[in-house]
Amino acid sequence: MYVYWRINTDLNCLGESITFRDPVFIRCYRQWIRENVLALALAEDVVGPDFNAVCLN
């Protein structure tokens, strides 16, 4: 899932977006994000009050 998150992040930096259509994949992706939200916030260098504003798509 990290690879998909990384691709999505890189595309967001370029102003592009990716749309996942498989419901099972979307559910697993969201679950993975919930489980790894703190590590993802550290990877994005989010600190302080901006922590809740992280766009995890």
Side-chain angles (χ1 to χ4, degrees), residues 11-29:
L11 286 173
N12 284 339
C13 290
L14 295 173
E16 300 290 330
S17 63
I18 189 169
T19 303
F20 301 117
R21 299 195 185 272
D22 182 18
V24 174
F25 178 81
I26 293 169
R27 184 181 69 235
C28 290
Y29 186 70

Side-chain angles (χ1 to χ4, degrees), residues 2-13 16-20 29 33 55-57:
Y2 174 78
V3 173
Y4 293 107
W5 174 80
R6 187 69 216 173
I7 291 169
N8 192 23
T9 303
D10 290 344
L11 286 173
N12 284 339
C13 290
E16 300 290 330
S17 63
I18 189 169
T19 303
F20 301 117
Y29 186 70
I33 287 174
C55 178
L56 300 176
N57 196 5

Side-chain angles (χ1 to χ4, degrees), residues 37-56:
V37 69
L38 293 176
L40 295 175
L42 289 174
E44 291 288 327
D45 291 330
V46 177
V47 290
D50 292 338
F51 180 73
N52 293 331
V54 176
C55 178
L56 300 176

